[in-house]
């Protein structure tokens, strides 16, 4: 089996192989696969190599023959690296929507859990953003989303062949420009849709608590309302577990398909 893979890579040609490797390396490095973040360079390198081997035969079949010198290989690597950065950043923006939603909810409660438990100021190691990210990632992995992302990366060399990202006039492919400009907004809209139910519960609690405190003339003391709001947030998040875990995978599926399939020439 290894001999077949190696022969497939060699048959792809050096220019195509370099372009595929640069595209996959940039996409993985920027965060197209959340599981690849923080696992170490060796795991990321092995993942990039595996995806490159899988994509090279398809890339060789659809790409135009390219006879280039050493500087030409560098140019192909730079261009395809930028293509991988665009696709990876677009997918990462979609994945980050869960973390953005958790950050919004954490800030609404008035508690900075990350500053209390994290090693650095502003860290999200123990905050609501990190909890929301892990919940969404669990649902995404459980639904087989990681396999779909890998398949999308491999299929991207068929949708946008190596060397087709830049036209003869030096202009970039329109699909890449639209993708880079639209995915951050899509991620933000997903974050709002995820956070809205729990956000409504927390805001309703703050309103009721404010009315009760003013009516009764009661001084709750420092931190009491924030602690109660965090409990309301926890109950709201637990009640909406299906949305955070199962619903997230369904929400991000269409945007992720756009990241890899709506860039054809």
């Amino acid at each position: 089996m290894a001999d077949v893979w190696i022969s497939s890579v060699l048959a792809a040609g050096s220019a195509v192989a370099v372009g595929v490797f640069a595209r996959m390396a940039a996409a993985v490095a920027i965060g197209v696969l959340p599981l690849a973040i923080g696992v170490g360079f060796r795991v990321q390198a092995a993942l990039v190599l595996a995806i490159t081997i899988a994509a090279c035969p398809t890339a060789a079949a659809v790409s135009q023959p390219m006879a280039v010198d050493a500087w030409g290989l560098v140019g192909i690597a730079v261009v395809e690296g930028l293509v991988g950065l665009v696709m990876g950043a677009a997918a990462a923006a979609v994945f980050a929507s869960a973390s953005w939603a958790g950050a919004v909810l954490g800030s609404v409660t008035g508690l900075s859990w990350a500053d209390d438990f994290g090693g650095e100021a502003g860290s999200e190691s123990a905050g609501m953003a990190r909890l929301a990210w892990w919940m969404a990632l669990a649902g995404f992995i459980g639904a087989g989303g990681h396999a779909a992302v890998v398949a999308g990366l491999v299929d991207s060399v068929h949708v946008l062949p190596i060397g087709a990202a830049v036209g003869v006039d030096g202009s970039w492919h329109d699909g890449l420009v639209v993708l880079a400009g639209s995915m951050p907004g899509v991620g933000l809209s997903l974050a709002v849709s995820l956070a809205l139910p729990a956000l409504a519960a927390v805001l309703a609690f703050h309103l009721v608590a404010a009315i009760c405190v003013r009516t009764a003339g009661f001084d709750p003391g420092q931190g009491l309302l924030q602690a109660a709001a965090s409990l309301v947030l926890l109950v709201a998040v637990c009640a909406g577990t299906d949305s955070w875990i199962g619903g997230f995978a369904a929400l991000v599926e269409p945007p992720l398909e756009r990241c890899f399939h709506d860039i054809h020439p």
Side-chain angles (χ1 to χ4, degrees), residues 21-237:
F21 180 81
R23 182 184 295 190
M24 302 308 167
V28 171
I30 202 66
V32 69
L33 282 170
L35 284 178
I37 300 176
V39 296
F41 174 76
R42 292 183 179 180
V43 177
Q44 292 180 339
L47 179 62
V48 170
L49 182 60
I51 300 176
T52 301
I53 292 174
C56 271
T58 301
V62 300
S63 299
Q64 296 294 330
M66 291 179 288
V68 296
D69 54 9
W71 286 110
L73 289 178
V74 173
I76 291 174
V78 172
V79 171
E80 294 303 324
L82 292 175
V83 173
L85 285 176
V86 171
M87 292 192 303
V94 175
F95 287 127
S97 60
S99 180
W100 293 347
V104 170
L105 294 175
S107 63
V108 167
T109 61
L111 294 176
S112 182
W113 298 351
D115 292 342
D116 294 337
F117 299 100
E120 300 178 358
S123 170
E124 295 182 355
S125 59
M128 185 61 199
R130 182 59 61 180
L131 174 62
W133 186 82
W134 278 111
M135 291 174 61
L137 181 62
F140 183 77
I141 298 300
H146 58 295
V149 171
V150 173
L153 286 174
V154 174
D155 192 51
S156 70
V157 299
H158 180 269
V159 177
L160 185 64
I162 301 300
V166 179
V168 293
D169 58 349
S171 61
W172 282 90
H173 185 264
D174 293 339
L176 291 174
V177 177
V178 174
L179 185 67
S182 61
M183 282 301 108
V186 173
L188 182 59
S189 65
L190 290 176
V192 172
S193 64
L194 284 171
L196 193 57
L199 180 62
V202 174
L203 291 179
F205 166 79
H206 278 295
L207 179 61
V208 173
I211 294 175
C212 292
V213 168
R214 290 296 184 92
T215 302
F218 171 70
D219 184 6
Q222 184 176 5
L224 181 59
L225 290 180
Q226 289 84 350
S230 67
L231 294 177
V232 173
L233 174 61
L234 180 61
V235 172
V237 171

Side-chain angles (χ1 to χ4, degrees), residues 228-258:
S230 67
L231 294 177
V232 173
L233 174 61
L234 180 61
V235 172
V237 171
C238 291
T241 301
D242 291 341
S243 297
W244 288 97
I245 297 180
F248 180 77
L251 284 174
V252 301
E253 182 179 359
L256 287 179
E257 289 183 352
R258 291 176 55 190

